[in-house]
Every structure is written in C-alpha cells, then in structure tokens.
Amino acid sequence: MSEPDHAASLPDRPGEGHGPAEHSETVRYPSVVLITGAAAGMGAEHARALARRGSHVHLADVADCAPLVREITEAGGRATGHALDVTDRAGWRRVVDAVRAADGRLGGLVNNAGMSRRLRFMDTTEEVWERVMRVNLFGPFHGIQAVAPLMRDSGGGSIVNISSVSGQIGYFSPSYSAAKWGLTGLSKSAAGELAAWNIRVNSVHPGLVSTGLLAGSDGFVESARRSIPAGRLGEPREITDAVLFLLGDRSAYMTGTEVTLDGGLVSNGLYHRILDDAEGAL
Ligand SMILES: NC(=O)c1ccc[n+]([C@@H]2O[C@H](COP(=O)([O-])OP(=O)(O)OC[C@H]3O[C@@H](n4cnc5c(N)ncnc54)[C@H](O)[C@@H]3O)[C@@H](O)[C@H]2O)c1
C-alpha cells in the first residue's frame, strides 16, 4: 500500500473506484471525498493525500479548516471547508447539500472526527459518556444516513469509519471503548444494508498514532509503547495508506471488514509485555 509517485487521474464517470478492480497500474480514487475532523491530525493527512491524487476534498470540522484549504489549494489541489459538528444532524444535511450543489456527486466519506476522554470506569460521568458517544458513534451514524442517497445517485461509494483498537479489545475508558466498538458494529450493519447501492463500508483501527489526541499523555503513551511489538507509535501517513486503499478501486471487493494498524498491539501486545517483564526467565 505504498504511495504511487503520481496523482491518479480520474475518469469523469459516476461511481468511479467502486466497480471490480481492473488490471491496471493506476489506482483510481473517488473524485469527491468528504472527510470529518479534517482540520488537524490524521484527517488532515488523509485530505492532503487525496488532494494530491486529484480528489476534490470537502473538509468538515468544528475547528477552522481554512488553513488546510489554503495549503491544498496553493499546492494545486481542490479543497472546500465546512463548519460541522458531527453530532448535528441538520448540519450534516447542510454539508451534503453543499457537496451536491458543488460537485453533484460524492464517492467517499471518511468518518474520522473523534474525541477521547481517558477516564477510568468509575470516574466516567454521564455527561462524558454521552458526549463521547455522540461524537464517535452518533456522528458517523448521522453521516452515513446523510451521504448514502447522494452516493447511491453517484453510482456507489466507499465509507471509511475510523474506529480504534479500543473498538476491538477491552479498553479501560468505557465511553471511548464502547463508542468505538459501536462504530465497528455500525460499519458492519451499514455494509450489509448499503451493498445494494454499491456502497462499501469498512472500519480502520489505529493503535497509538502521534497526533494531538495524545497530547499531554506522555506517561500513558510511553507505558503503552512497551506493549507494542513494533516498538513505536504509528505515523498518521501509515493510517492514510489504509484509508486510501479502502477508498480506491483496489479494495472493490472489501466491505464490512476491519483493518487494524497497530504495530502488532492487538495480536501480540500481551505476550510482548509479558516477555519484556519476564526478562529472559523462560
Ligand atoms: N491518535 C490516536 O492514537 C488514535 C488511535 C486510534 C483511533 N484514533 C481515532 O482517529 C481519529 C482521528 O484522531 P486524531 O488522532 O487525528 O485526533 P485529533 O485530535 O488530532 O483530530 C481530531 C479532529 O476531529 C475534530 N473534531 C472533534 N470533535 C468534532 C466534532 N464533534 N465534529 C467535527 N469535528 C470534530 C477536531 O477538531 C480535530 O480537528 C479519531 O476518530 C480518533 O478517535 C486515534
């Protein structure tokens, strides 16, 4: 899944990137993609990469997307910013109407916006529980319902939901873990329902990735790193590679599945840590 050294050019037809893969060296990406939480972190990295490949990227965030829109535009790409709190259902309708008015189609959605409150079980208040659920789980639900008709009218599309390894294992902070597990299930449910509209839905599960989400958690991060067989955190561009793959036509037969990018944390983190602690006492 390495980056091609050229921007893939896209044919001007609906649903591009979602039919059976052809035997070609060129990967095709949707010409119009909406990304939430795109102002910073991994979402911004996905947006830059897609814009370099010729997609018109619609960036949606509660934070100001204008600096990234400027950066992409000055580099010769196409980007439009939208103010959106993903918990706001009416806001989603406004954004999708704006995409329809601007481009008449939509081939990709990356439900990337997310927030985490690393509070232990008994410290998690109802307010925190509700907010984390609303952003990480209700947001993607509203988003999928909002974009699906336009994607259907575009000939199909690919939806990538950014979950987490916390949505695959028991994670100490209940609101985040439950929301991300919910998102894993939502992805599979939507994949089944939307296949008839040629819309694929998959989830991506990053382990620890160095972004603002981990800011101020140095002790937690260093301790967690000791459980990662690869011995390091992930880089945003490594998650972008998987997102690109799922949006593009090389994954045309993938839907309802999970892609984990975690340096081996979920599959081997436990024994990595046990062996480390045992210090050769086997
Ligand atoms: N960084 C990690 O280690 C890690 C690991 C696993 C999963 N993830 C997930 O990856 C995604 C991206 O995380 P990141 O690390 O780039 O985080 P980040 O904090 O760097 O960026 C998140 C972006 O989402 C935006 N956002 C937050 N709430 C929003 C809302 N209600 N509506 C619209 N936008 C909102 C923020 O303004 C920000 O621009 C999240 O879903 C996160 O849960 C991150």
Side-chain angles (χ1 to χ4, degrees), residues 174-221:
S175 54
Y176 192 70
S177 197
K180 292 300 192 182
W181 270 95
L183 185 52
T184 309
L186 174 66
S187 302
K188 292 182 193 302
S189 172
E193 280 293 288
L194 299 180
W197 290 355
N198 199 26
I199 298 172
R200 301 184 290 114
V201 189
N202 294 287
S203 53
V204 165
H205 301 258
L208 287 162
V209 182
S210 34
T211 69
L213 200 85
L214 299 181
S217 320
D218 294 354
F220 169 78
V221 169

Side-chain angles (χ1 to χ4, degrees), residues 36-43 60-63 84-87 111-116 131 135-136 162-166 176 180 205-214:
T36 67
M42 288 188 254
D61 206 304
V62 283
L84 174 70
D85 183 330
V86 294
T87 66
N111 272 315
N112 165 79
M115 62 168 291
S116 168
R131 183 67 191 159
V135 174
N136 294 292
I162 307 298
S163 179
S164 164
V165 291
S166 307
Y176 192 70
K180 292 300 192 182
H205 301 258
L208 287 162
V209 182
S210 34
T211 69
L213 200 85
L214 299 181

Side-chain angles (χ1 to χ4, degrees), residues 41-59:
M42 288 188 254
E45 198 62 27
H46 307 333
R48 290 185 185 99
L50 281 159
R52 282 200 297 276
R53 286 160 177 78
S55 302
H56 180 188
V57 284
H58 288 267
L59 318 177

Side-chain angles (χ1 to χ4, degrees), residues 83-140:
L84 174 70
D85 183 330
V86 294
T87 66
D88 175 8
R89 217 174 148 75
W92 270 104
R93 273 198 301 276
R94 265 197 318 276
V95 170
V96 172
D97 285 349
V99 172
R100 193 188 278 274
D103 293 303
R105 71 169 67 165
L106 181 66
L109 167 68
V110 186
N111 272 315
N112 165 79
M115 62 168 291
S116 168
R117 295 293 305 276
R118 274 180 295 280
L119 290 172
R120 300 190 76 152
F121 199 95
M122 296 306 289
D123 298 328
T124 300
T125 62
E126 187 178 349
E127 290 70 31
V128 167
W129 171 266
E130 175 151 357
R131 183 67 191 159
V132 173
M133 283 289 172
R134 287 206 174 277
V135 174
N136 294 292
L137 183 55
F138 285 48

